[in-house]
């Protein structure tokens, strides 16, 4: 199992996933950082309805491979890295937000820039964001 874990950790790294600004270790060991990064990927990925459980199963591994092959493309017009915090760099995006943004982009017919899709709590305080801001959840 550690082979699929190490491969998945490498793909999470390649896609830009960090947890609290720290890279996911690429060592084949499922640790809390790996589990959280997997959970965040599962939450953001829109091309299949992945169960958000933090477990690297066959479906999640295949989704990571596909996402990495497309350079982190979530939809036709949005990539994972667009949802990275300008503070610690962590990526969080809610699947329904991404789907809604893609639909809006199609109706609008022009690019929509993501200025602040996710904010880590330190960055949210720094910019004066609301305490319960949806930015804290990538929503």
């Amino acid at each position: 199992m550690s082979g699929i874990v190490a491969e998945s950790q490498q793909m999470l790294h390649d896609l830009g996933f960090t947890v609290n600004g720290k890279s996911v270790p690429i060592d084949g060991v499922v640790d809390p950082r790996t589990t959280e990064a997997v959970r965040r990927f599962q939450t953001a990925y829109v091309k299949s309805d992945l169960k958000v459980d933090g477990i690297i199963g066959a479906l999640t591994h295949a989704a990571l491979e596909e996402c990495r092959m497309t350079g982190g493309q979530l939809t036709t017009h949005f990539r994972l890295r667009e949802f990275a915090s300008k503070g610690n760099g962590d990526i969080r995006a809610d699947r329904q937000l991404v789907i809604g943004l893609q639909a809006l982009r199609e109706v609008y017919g022009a690019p929509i820039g993501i200025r602040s899709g996710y904010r880590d709590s330190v960055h949210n305080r720094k910019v004066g964001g609301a305490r319960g801001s949806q930015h804290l959840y990538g929503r």
Side-chain angles (χ1 to χ4, degrees):
M1 183 63 167
S2 65
I4 193 171
V5 172
E7 287 175 18
S8 296
Q9 288 170 324
Q10 182 66 57
M11 288 185 279
L12 288 163
H13 174 78
D14 294 348
L15 290 167
F17 278 93
T18 59
V19 177
N20 298 322
K22 295 180 182 173
S23 296
V24 173
I26 303 167
D27 58 7
V29 177
V30 178
D31 69 332
R33 216 176 321 157
T34 299
T35 300
E36 182 59 24
V38 169
R39 202 176 273 122
R40 291 177 186 184
F41 172 76
Q42 291 167 330
T43 300
Y45 195 67
V46 301
K47 295 180 183 176
S48 69
D49 195 18
L50 296 175
K51 182 177 180 183
V52 180
D53 57 10
I55 296 171
I56 304 169
L59 291 175
T60 295
H61 187 264
L64 280 164
E65 284 182 311
E66 180 182 357
C67 193
R68 182 173 66 171
M69 286 179 17
T70 63
Q73 202 77 34
L74 291 173
T75 66
T76 305
H77 296 101
F78 297 99
R79 292 181 182 271
L80 276 168
R81 290 187 192 253
E82 291 180 87
F83 298 92
S85 174
K86 289 178 178 58
N88 66 12
D90 286 4
I91 296 171
R92 279 196 186 183
D94 182 81
R95 183 180 304 151
Q96 294 307 312
L97 171 67
V98 178
I99 291 168
L101 286 169
Q102 180 61 39
L104 180 63
R105 166 63 169 87
E106 290 169 7
V107 170
Y108 186 59
I112 296 173
I114 306 298
R115 287 186 173 179
S116 182
Y118 167 66
R119 294 182 195 148
D120 62 88
S121 59
V122 172
H123 184 67
N124 190 59
R125 281 191 302 276
K126 182 179 176 183
V127 299
R131 205 179 300 179
S133 172
Q134 293 303 298
H135 283 95
L136 295 167
Y137 309 101
R139 291 184 278 203

